[in-house]
Amino acid sequence: MIEYYDVSGCYILRPWSYAIWEVLKDFFDAEIKKLGIQNSYFPLFVSEQALTKEKDHIEGFAPEVAWVTKSGNTELEVPIAIRPTSETVMYPVFAKWIRGHRDLPLRLNQWCNVVRWEFKHPTPFIRSREFLWQEGHTAFATKEEADEEVKIVLELYRKIYEEYLAVPVVKGIKSEVEKFAGGLYTTTVEAFIPNTGRGIQGATSHCLGQNFSKMFEIFFEDDKGERSLVWQNSWAFTTRVIGVMVMIHGDDKGLVLPPKVATVQVVIIPVPYKNVDFNQMLDACNEVSQKLESAGLRVKQDTRDNYPPGWKYSDWELKGVPLRIEIGPKDIENKQVRMVRRDNFEKEDVPLEKVAQRAADLLDEIQANLFKKAKEVRDLCIKKVFTWEDFIEALNDKKMVLAPWCDDVEVEEDVKARTKGDTGAAKTLCMPFEQPDLPDGTVCFASGKPAKRWALWGRSY
Ligand code: 87F
């Protein structure tokens, strides 16, 4: 999926992984266009003046900003930043473009790269210094419209994870500590990696309120001629989604690709014996391949003559291709093929006239089964607790912990301090939209104060 590179924290995305990005991009792009959001492209570079216009928001992030200071051997008169995100690039222009209520809503998206000079250990897809994303930036006349969009976009992110990548996520709202500090509130889809016992933020959809419109002076005149600040949102998902998928579905034999995002959904492998007419085998592979392609499936024939079939099986298993079709002389004789699933290695012989339908059905079954298995495992990783002792026990047991919480900033900071370990501290992942009952009199697991809501806690990436 990747190749290493000689700049630390940067990776080459090879066709095998980039194609997954393209599938997700095509889906999301079509969906946001249906909503009336338009694509555009803003520059990679940010002037120092624009970047620091909005001091509070940039302050905590400043160490991660990369700067261009030279052209050739000549020092630039003023250094130029590389975008870590595009608020400071886009919002000055929003202020220029938005005049009256007829200019609203303004709903833009861009597909681009961003650079954040992270100092934590880099990991392909999960934490890299340059990554790809889409960033949506929108402006509305009313908070209601902004609120509505936040939810709609978050639902698209859920679909990317659950319906494409077969990764279960929890939708919720971030705590005051964990939200994007520049905004009003942050909603999120949170995934969980059972092997490491850590949560991972999947994608975020923020309502910025009027914080940025105040700073960047983005006003509009309403139909009564009054000047008001616009309400804004921003939202993004990144190439991290691919890393989450890899960690969730991979097994000891390698990658397991959900059919909906697999570049190759079915690999056809001829299994020749000595003294068998190889051309006859190739004809049979071609015939099956054509049937599958006509049914809209993504197919690859591995007819390399310098590797034995067993070697090819392992190779495509490693690459994660969901379905393998083997064709040997006996199969040709019996007018059938053998199908082998990557998710559970179940084998079956399928008559030639049924290959297209059966392959399509199996791919659907594999997609559904991957999600079902991942969700069962994930659900077993959520532990509901009421006390500090049970919280610590569940955390040490590599679980996510659902606990009644007072929703105080100081208490979250305190929990962080008390759980600090080698693998980082526990924090709130989100407050799930779907809340269990909270009986009157329930107290916070950490502070003993009255609990306001259930929060999902865990160590995280
Ligand atoms: C790193 C350096 C400078 C995150 C940064 O989530 C600035 C930032 O603003 C920064 N890392 N952020 C927050 C990004 C917020 C927001 N931007 C638009 C999103 C969605 C897309």
Side-chain angles (χ1 to χ4, degrees):
M1 299 191 100
I2 61 140
E3 182 56 81
Y4 289 95
Y5 193 63
D6 71 349
V7 178
S8 167
C10 296
Y11 307 92
I12 293 154
L13 304 190
R14 302 179 65 177
W16 202 246
S17 63
Y18 193 79
I20 298 173
W21 182 243
E22 286 181 310
V23 170
L24 301 175
K25 183 177 174 183
D26 288 348
F27 161 72
F28 190 81
D29 203 61
E31 291 297 319
I32 60 175
K33 279 175 183 156
K34 283 187 223 162
L35 295 173
I37 294 154
Q38 295 177 301
N39 282 329
S40 50
Y41 187 78
F42 289 74
L44 168 70
F45 297 115
V46 196
S47 71
E48 179 163 27
Q49 185 202 352
L51 190 77
T52 51
K53 167 145 189 155
E54 197 276 285
K55 285 203 187 60
D56 294 346
H57 139 244
I58 209 70
E59 205 171 56
F61 296 120
E64 287 181 13
V65 177
W67 293 87
V68 178
T69 58
K70 279 207 239 174
S71 84
N73 289 325
T74 319
E75 294 276 332
L76 295 190
E77 238 163 72
V78 279
I80 293 167
I82 301 174
R83 66 175 165 227
T85 176
S86 301
E87 284 80 355
T88 55
V89 179
M90 295 170 81
Y91 297 167
V93 192
F94 274 42
K96 188 168 160 190
W97 289 346
I98 298 170
R99 287 282 170 255
H101 60 95
R102 289 179 200 83
D103 301 323
L104 293 174
L106 177 59
R107 306 171 83 187
L108 298 182
N109 178 67
Q110 71 174 349
W111 293 95
C112 64
N113 59 340
V114 287
V115 171
R116 295 179 184 174
W117 217 251
E118 299 265 4
F119 293 95
K120 287 195 203 149
H121 187 67
T123 311
F125 300 113
I126 300 300
R127 189 185 295 118
S128 53
R129 283 178 168 174
E130 179 187 1
F131 56 85
L132 304 181
W133 75 354
Q134 61 64 220
E135 51 178 320
H137 293 269
T138 56
F140 299 90
T142 63
K143 177 165 188 295
E144 289 65 39
E145 290 167 274
D147 285 338
E148 182 64 16
E149 186 197 65
V150 167
K151 279 189 245 158
I152 292 172
V153 171
L154 196 71
E155 173 61 9
L156 293 178
Y157 293 150
R158 185 198 66 78
K159 285 188 174 168
I160 285 177
Y161 274 99
E162 298 199 333
E163 295 177 7
Y164 281 78
L165 301 168
V167 170
V169 289
V170 177
K171 277 185 179 182
I173 185 161
K174 288 279 187 184
S175 69
E176 278 303 301
V177 173
E178 290 301 322
K179 76 170 194 188
F180 171 37
L184 184 59
Y185 64 89
T186 294
T187 66
T188 178
V189 287
E190 297 285 322
F192 186 74
I193 312 300
N195 293 336
T196 57
R198 289 201 276 167
I200 185 161
Q201 179 175 296
T204 47
S205 177
H206 312 280
C207 179
L208 304 177
Q210 295 175 311
N211 298 351
F212 282 87
S213 58
K214 218 169 282 161
M215 280 176 302
F216 288 90
E217 302 177 64
I218 315 174
F219 291 98
F220 75 103
E221 204 165 279
D222 65 22
D223 47 8
K224 293 174 200 77
E226 280 184 45
R227 222 163 83 104
S228 337
L229 292 166
V230 299
W231 292 85
Q232 288 177 278
N233 291 340
S234 78
W235 27 271
F237 81 97
T238 78
T239 34
R240 168 179 275 196
V241 297
I242 299 171
V244 177
M245 178 211 75
V246 171
M247 291 196 286
I248 293 288
H249 300 304
D251 64 15
D252 290 349
K253 292 198 151 77
L255 201 57
V256 182
L257 292 175
K260 277 181 80 168
V261 296
T263 317
V264 176
Q265 296 172 311
V266 186
V267 62
I268 303 175
I269 302 177
V271 190
Y273 288 86
K274 278 199 190 105
N275 310 323
V276 159
D277 177 5
F278 197 59
N279 283 326
Q280 192 199 353
M281 309 236 48
L282 293 184
D283 290 343
C285 290
N286 269 326
E287 187 189 334
V288 171
S289 178
Q290 271 164 27
K291 282 182 198 281
L292 298 181
E293 276 176 4
S294 308
L297 306 183
R298 300 191 283 271
V299 192
K300 161 109 187 152
Q301 300 183 52
D302 186 351
T303 55
R304 291 177 286 181
D305 59 7
N306 53 340
Y307 294 108
W311 190 95
K312 293 180 185 175
Y313 297 168
S314 313
D315 193 38
W316 293 106
E317 280 168 4
L318 183 75
K319 289 188 157 75
V321 171
L323 191 62
R324 172 170 91 228
I325 292 184
E326 306 167 4
I327 307 181
K330 274 265 148 34
D331 297 310
I332 296 179
E333 217 176 282
N334 297 335
K335 297 192 166 30
Q336 66 179 34
V337 303
R338 166 153 286 196
M339 296 192 180
V340 186
R341 292 169 62 151
R342 174 66 181 88
D343 61 332
N344 59 14
F345 299 101
E346 276 176 20
K347 299 178 164 76
E348 65 181 77
D349 293 326
V350 179
L352 257 191
E353 75 269 14
K354 295 207 172 119
V355 281
Q357 189 56 53
R358 190 59 191 144
D361 289 348
L362 279 174
L363 290 173
D364 287 346
E365 278 177 38
I366 292 166
Q367 182 79 32
N369 184 49
L370 285 175
F371 180 69
K372 183 168 164 275
K373 275 199 304 193
K375 187 161 185 309
E376 280 165 8
V377 173
R378 195 280 314 267
D379 288 346
L380 288 173
C381 290
I382 303 180
K383 186 93 206 293
K384 206 166 145 184
V385 310
F386 290 89
T387 65
W388 179 259
E389 289 69 36
D390 290 350
F391 174 79
I392 292 296
E393 189 182 317
L395 206 59
N396 290 340
D397 199 23
K398 291 190 178 175
K399 297 284 196 290
M400 266 187 293
V401 199
L402 190 59
W405 185 37
C406 61
D407 199 357
D408 276 2
V409 169
E410 307 83 66
V411 174
E412 177 159 9
E413 299 293 6
D414 183 51
V415 173
K416 275 192 186 174
R418 289 158 78 188
T419 55
K420 208 161 229 156
D422 304 338
T423 44
K427 63 181 193 185
T428 57
L429 303 173
C430 72
M431 294 174 276
F433 288 155
E434 233 171 77
Q435 289 270 315
D437 259 359
L438 190 68
D440 278 347
T442 308
V443 296
C444 171
F445 77 103
S447 69
K449 292 192 247 184
K452 289 201 185 122
R453 51 187 62 85
W454 291 87
L456 193 59
W457 298 74
R459 301 193 199 276
S460 77
Y461 278 85

